[in-house]
Amino acid sequence: MRPLPLAMALALIASPALSTTIEVTIDKLVFSPASIQAKVGDTIEWTNNDILAHTATVKGGWDVMIPPKSKGKVMLKAAGAVDYFCRFHPNMKGHIEVAP
Amino acid sequence: MFMRPTATLAALFFVSTVPLALAAEKPTDPQIAHIAYTADAIDIEAAKLAIKKSKNREVVDFAKDMERDHEAVNKQALDLVKKLKVTPEDNDTSKALAKAAKEERAKLAKLKGAAFDKAYIDNEVAYHKQVNGALETLLIPSASNAELKSLLETGLKIFQGHEQHAEHVAGMLK
Ligand SMILES: [Cu+2]
């Protein structure tokens, strides 16, 4: 494979519009980090290490199913702060601040 | 309602009401494993009944969640006792739990429709609350093996989640 030209590689790194994937881990019914900062277009990816299915659910918003020992993800489409929780275990809570 | 079983379990479980009785009855790890397994199995039985009887989507979904979670937890518990070479040992607390659950199932079996849904969900709230109390005040503090204790601690978080989930469904039934 040929390496990317330097200028292009730098542009990719520096570009403010480039969206990223933010990883959140679930272990023993805890989202960590529990609170994250993201921007519109970013993807949140949850890795569930538990033997139980969980969800990441925003009331009146998105709902992501995260099967046991598996992953789930969502692309953030709107700016603002959201609280999310697990529908199966509502004591599991997370928070995302989405910048425009 | 859940009057008689509640009284029986409260007498067995709640440290604040019967500190002396519990001091004498501190369960061993094989007994704790049996109690935890029994508590899970009871909720699976109740869930199966609800899946069969209820026509309410929310109630059936909740029951399926209970069945799935408690089966997963019990599988993990069985794997652990096997690994630790602990043989779960039947005991008075397990027996009281099983007896109360049998009575509750008989009561639920006679109900239909909305009356069944309400009784099942109300019992789920009460049941998870009781098991949480037992985990917090008796089973977790009594467990001597670290892995068993950790399993129970995770179990407590799961049960607390289920209690909130059941309260949410109860709120929707009103
Ligand atoms: Cu969950």
Side-chain angles (χ1 to χ4, degrees), chain A residues 26 29 31 52-55 86-92, chain B residues 69:
Chain A
I26 304 171
L29 294 93
F31 293 115
L52 309 169
H54 298 298
T55 74
C86 168
R87 276 189 288 117
F88 304 142
H89 316 100
N91 51 342
M92 298 173 61
Chain B
D69 271 15

Side-chain angles (χ1 to χ4, degrees), chain B residues 98-140:
Chain B
K99 183 168 178 282
K102 202 177 157 196
E103 288 168 6
E104 181 63 29
R105 272 201 304 279
K107 226 172 285 172
L108 286 173
K110 286 182 204 139
L111 299 173
K112 278 194 190 105
F116 172 86
D117 293 340
K118 190 182 180 323
Y120 167 67
I121 295 294
D122 284 352
N123 184 55
E124 284 297 292
V125 173
Y127 182 71
H128 281 87
K129 219 171 256 181
Q130 278 173 342
V131 174
N132 287 339
L135 281 164
E136 274 175 310
T137 59
L138 178 65
L139 304 180
I140 292 170

Side-chain angles (χ1 to χ4, degrees), chain A residues 27-30 50-53 59 65 87-93, chain B residues 65-66 68-69 72-73 76 150 154 156-158 160-162 164-165:
Chain A
D27 231 322
K28 295 182 176 169
L29 294 93
V30 177
D50 285 347
I51 54 159
L52 309 169
K59 219 174 193 169
M65 184 69 171
R87 276 189 288 117
F88 304 142
H89 316 100
N91 51 342
M92 298 173 61
K93 292 186 177 100
Chain B
D65 293 341
M66 291 306 106
R68 189 189 61 234
D69 271 15
V73 169
Q76 203 181 34
S150 159
T154 306
L156 174 60
K157 276 195 267 177
I158 296 169
Q160 284 169 337
H162 289 172
Q164 287 185 24
H165 190 182

